[in-house]
Amino acid sequence: MSGQRNSAGAGVYQLENGYWGYRFVVTVNGKRKAQKRVKDEKGNPYKTEKQAARARVLAIEKEQNKLLLPPQQEIIRKTVKEVYKEYCEKGRNGKAYTTIKKQDSLWKNHLQERFGNRYIDEITVAEIQDYLAELYYTDNRAYSYTESFLKMFYLIFGQAYSRNYISVDSYNKLCVNKDTKIHMPKLKTDDDLDIVYFNEKQIEQLDNYFKGTNAETAYMLGKYCGLRINECYGLKWSNVDLKDGFITIDRQMQYQEGLIKLVSLKTRNARRKVYMCSKLKEYLAEARRQQEKDKKELALQRQQNQTFIQDLNGEQVSSLELVNSLPNGKIQTVNSMKYHSRTLQHEQNIMFKYHYLRHTYGTNLAVLNTPEHLLCNQMGHSNSQVTHRYYIAVSEKGIDELLNNLEKM
C-alpha cells in the first residue's frame, strides 16, 4: 500500500493496484466503531480518490446515525426450516391451493436439503445468486421455474424480517436495495419467453381437426375467448349469457387431493366478463339447443353417467351443468385435451398446447389495435406488463401490417 494522500481528507489512501480505499473511527455516546473499505457494496473498487472520499463521508454518517439510534431488539436466531414452518402455519392463510402445493414441492424437493438447517441470518446474497445461477445455467431449469425459487426466497426472508429473525440492514440488502437485492440470472440468449401463437394456416388445420369432436366446444372457447384451460372446463351454462353476448369467468376446474372440484380463480383480476363474437354466440346457441335434445333422447344415459363435483360454494353440482360435458352426460376435464395434443403433433406436426390458443387470441387482438387496458381485462391479467407482451410479439399479421405501413411512408 502506498502512503496516504490527504488532499481529500485523512483516511483516504491509494492501493498498490492504483485503486483507492478509506478507513475511519467514530465514537458516539461512548460507542466506538471502526471501518475499513476498498470496495463498494456491489464489490466494485473505488477508481478515484474523490470516489473513495465521498463513500467515506456517507459511511461515517451512516454509522453515526446507527450509533445514535436506540438499541434494537435482539435478533432471534432461527433456521430456514423453522422460518418456513412458521410461514406455513401463520403466513399463507388465503393462498390458493395450487400455490401452496407448488411452494411445498419446491421446499421438499430442493430448498430443504440445501438451506433447511442453515441459520436465516447467515444466508448471503451471493450464495443465493449462485444457487439461482446453478438452477438456470447448470441444471437447465426453465427461466419461469427458476423464478419460482426467487419468489420463495423473498417470502421466506419476508417472514423472517417480520418476526425479527434478521436485521433491517440484512433484509434491505437481500430484498429491498435495488443495487444489492437477490435477482434472476441474466436470460440466456437462446431462451424462449416469447408469445407462442398459431398462424392462419395452422388455425385452418385446427378448425378442421376439432370440428365435430368432443373437444370442439373447448377449442372454440380457447380460440374466441382466450380462456385458460381450467377456466374452460370449469365453465357452467349459467355463466354464459347468450342474449347480451358475454361469459362470466368466476371459477375454474382443478384436481385437489385426487378429486375434481370447481374452485376460486387464482387472482382477483382473473374474475371477469369475456365478450363473445357473433360466431361463438351462434355456436354456443346451437350447442345449447342440442343439449336440450340430448336431455330428452339420452335422458337415462345422462342420469347414469353424470358426475357430482364440489362447486365453489361447497355444494355438489352435476357435470350436466358444465358447458363441456358430453352428450351422454360424462364429464370432461382438463385432461381431456391431452389426447388431441398428442394426435396433432404426430399426425399434423402441430405442437399444440391449449394455452397457445390464448396466446393466439391475445396476439390477434393486439395486432388489431385493441386498447391495452381492454385486452388486459379480457385476458384477466393481474399485471398490465403481461398484457404488453402481446403488443410486442412478432406475428405474421403484425409483419403484414408493418409492411403496409412502410409502403405508406
Side-chain angles (χ1 to χ4, degrees), residues 274-308:
V274 179
Y275 291 89
M276 297 184 283
C277 64
S278 58
K279 189 167 186 177
L280 181 60
K281 283 192 290 184
E282 291 170 6
Y283 174 85
L284 290 178
E286 177 57 33
R288 191 66 167 154
R289 285 192 290 270
Q290 183 60 48
Q291 187 191 56
E292 293 301 317
K293 293 181 181 178
D294 294 336
K295 283 182 180 180
K296 298 176 182 177
E297 298 173 3
L298 304 173
L300 293 179
Q301 289 186 43
R302 289 168 65 82
Q303 185 176 1
Q304 178 175 307
N305 291 330
Q306 67 180 319
T307 302
F308 287 90

Side-chain angles (χ1 to χ4, degrees), residues 118-130:
R118 298 279 304 283
Y119 282 108
I120 190 77
D121 60 348
E122 68 181 17
I123 307 293
T124 66
V125 172
E127 62 183 302
I128 296 175
Q129 292 298 157
D130 290 344

Side-chain angles (χ1 to χ4, degrees), residues 322-355:
L322 299 175
V323 173
N324 283 290
S325 63
L326 297 178
N328 64 6
K330 289 186 177 181
I331 192 171
Q332 290 201 88
T333 72
V334 293
N335 291 326
S336 301
M337 198 61 69
K338 290 182 178 179
Y339 165 79
H340 302 287
S341 296
R342 291 193 299 269
T343 303
L344 282 164
Q345 184 174 357
H346 293 151
E347 295 184 2
Q348 302 199 32
N349 199 30
I350 295 178
M351 182 63 72
F352 179 83
K353 291 185 179 180
Y354 189 81
H355 204 71

Side-chain angles (χ1 to χ4, degrees), residues 47-63:
K47 296 181 179 180
T48 65
E49 180 182 19
K50 186 176 180 180
Q51 203 177 45
R54 184 166 58 247
R56 181 176 182 272
V57 171
L58 294 175
I60 291 173
E61 289 179 356
K62 181 178 178 181
E63 291 303 326

